[in-house]
């Protein structure tokens, strides 16, 4: 059996004082978003990244397990790259803590 579908009256979704705008209408950018798109920089002069370029930046973080030649398993250690300021900011915004 398929999901139950209900029809809600249109008036129930409208809020008083708001103009009726189609939910399919394109969203309007804020002034700060327009400025970022125009200058390609965030406040503070930092460059704006797309999702793809940000993932490319984060992809350079690595943790390598190192075992010196001729040593036993007790000498194994992890070597972690140090995040760049951009990577550190992205990880902080995501709430990810890293051991360095």
């Amino acid at each position: 059996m398929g999901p139950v579908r209900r029809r809600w009256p249109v008036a129930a979704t409208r809020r008083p004082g708001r103009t009726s705008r189609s939910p399919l209408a394109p969203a309007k950018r804020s002034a700060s978003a327009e400025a970022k798109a125009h200058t390609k920089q965030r406040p503070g002069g930092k460059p704006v990244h797309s999702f793809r370029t940000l993932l490319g930046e984060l992809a350079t973080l690595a943790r390598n397990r190192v075992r010196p030649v001729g040593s036993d398993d007790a000498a194994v250690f992890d070597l972690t790259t140090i995040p760049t300021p951009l990577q550190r900011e992205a990880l902080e915004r995501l709430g990810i803590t890293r051991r360095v």
Side-chain angles (χ1 to χ4, degrees):
M1 182 169 12
V4 176
R5 295 183 186 194
R6 297 181 183 175
R7 292 188 175 262
W8 298 98
V10 175
T13 60
R14 293 196 181 146
R15 296 182 189 140
R18 296 190 92 188
T19 60
S20 60
R21 198 174 118 203
S22 169
L24 301 178
K28 293 186 179 182
R29 285 184 174 178
S30 67
S32 65
E34 285 290 344
K36 282 192 268 186
H38 180 70
T39 63
K40 305 284 192 240
Q41 290 186 345
R42 299 182 295 152
K46 297 177 183 176
V48 174
H49 284 271
S50 69
F51 184 69
R52 181 172 289 185
T53 61
L54 185 57
L55 281 179
E57 262 312 301
L58 292 173
T60 63
L61 290 170
R63 180 180 304 149
N64 295 308
R65 174 131 311 171
V66 179
R67 181 176 181 218
V69 175
S71 65
D72 59 359
D73 288 340
V76 173
F77 62 95
D78 289 338
L79 184 62
T80 307
T81 57
I82 298 172
T84 65
L86 174 66
Q87 292 167 335
R88 191 173 299 117
E89 181 185 352
L91 293 172
E92 286 172 2
R93 287 179 181 246
L94 291 170
I96 299 172
T97 57
R98 293 183 38 91
R99 289 183 292 156
V100 178

